[in-house]
Amino acid sequence: MDKLLIIGVDLVAIAVLTFGVYFPRHHRRDLVAAFLGINVGVLATAMVLGSTSVGAGLGLGLFGVLSIIRLRSSEIAQHEIAYYFAALALGLLAGLNGGVDGVTAGLMALVVAALFVGDHPALFGRYRQQTMLLDQALTDEAALRKRVEADLGGRVLHVTVRHIDTVNDTTLVDVRFRAGVA
């Protein structure tokens, strides 16, 4: 009965994380299946590893390798990687513990709460990152900042020039800025 309870707690935690926090904010359907699949897969494997003589370290190492390969196979944003690892952590917490206790439930709630707060739109909501290709080769940083601020309608906090092409008259920049602030 304890194992069924921890499976239920895990499913509630991953459902809240996926359907209550991630999807309403980012609307990326393909990652919903990924988060659910990775969580349930890790939970099942961790429960089996926890009940056999195979070392948990071997299982965790295999999942680490598999997750790195998967995360490198298609473009995924940093906040989505955080959700991936939260899904992994929830499955591991539930699967390796073998039962429900206050510490496990609290740690699972902490993982969900950390992403709820850390990825909340109200937290630094006006701060943005943008890669821009400008139709002008700008080598003067002051002129570059002025141009980018005018284009973005915000205050540039940091700009990194990635490439200047004087033949085609373009500049590729990575910009960190605060929207709506001149």
Side-chain angles (χ1 to χ4, degrees):
M1 188 62 173
D2 222 19
K3 287 187 187 267
L4 289 178
L5 185 57
I6 194 65
I7 291 170
V9 170
D10 176 65
L11 292 176
V12 167
I14 192 63
V16 169
L17 181 70
T18 304
F19 299 112
V21 180
Y22 176 77
F23 191 78
R25 291 181 183 170
H26 303 290
H27 307 289
R28 196 164 163 193
R29 185 179 181 272
D30 59 325
L31 288 181
V32 168
F35 298 149
L36 295 174
I38 196 92
N39 175 266
V40 172
V42 167
L43 171 67
T45 305
M47 289 183 100
V48 168
L49 289 173
S51 65
T52 65
S53 62
V54 175
L58 173 64
L60 292 175
L62 290 173
F63 272 105
V65 169
L66 290 174
S67 68
I68 289 169
I69 291 169
R70 171 61 193 120
L71 292 174
R72 295 185 79 200
S73 65
S74 69
E75 192 159 321
I76 184 168
Q78 293 300 314
H79 69 276
E80 291 165 333
I81 291 171
Y83 282 96
Y84 248 110
F85 282 105
L88 283 164
L90 291 173
L92 288 171
L93 282 167
L96 290 176
N97 191 37
V100 179
D101 61 17
V103 173
T104 301
L107 288 171
M108 292 174 85
L110 183 62
V111 168
V112 174
L115 281 173
F116 177 81
V117 172
D119 189 41
H120 198 280
L123 183 66
F124 305 117
R126 293 174 53 182
Y127 288 82
R128 307 276 198 291
Q129 181 272 331
Q130 183 71 48
T131 300
M132 299 177 66
L133 180 61
L134 305 174
D135 61 351
Q136 198 175 4
L138 294 167
T139 56
D140 177 69
E141 187 172 338
L144 175 64
R145 279 180 175 271
K146 187 175 180 181
R147 163 72 190 274
V148 171
E149 284 182 345
D151 286 352
L152 295 174
R155 185 174 64 111
V156 170
L157 303 169
H158 181 77
V159 62
T160 303
V161 176
R162 297 290 178 202
H163 182 78
I164 296 176
D165 185 342
T166 55
V167 173
N168 293 315
D169 202 24
T170 60
T171 306
L172 180 65
V173 294
D174 182 58
V175 183
R176 313 287 174 176
F177 67 103
R178 186 167 180 204
V181 177

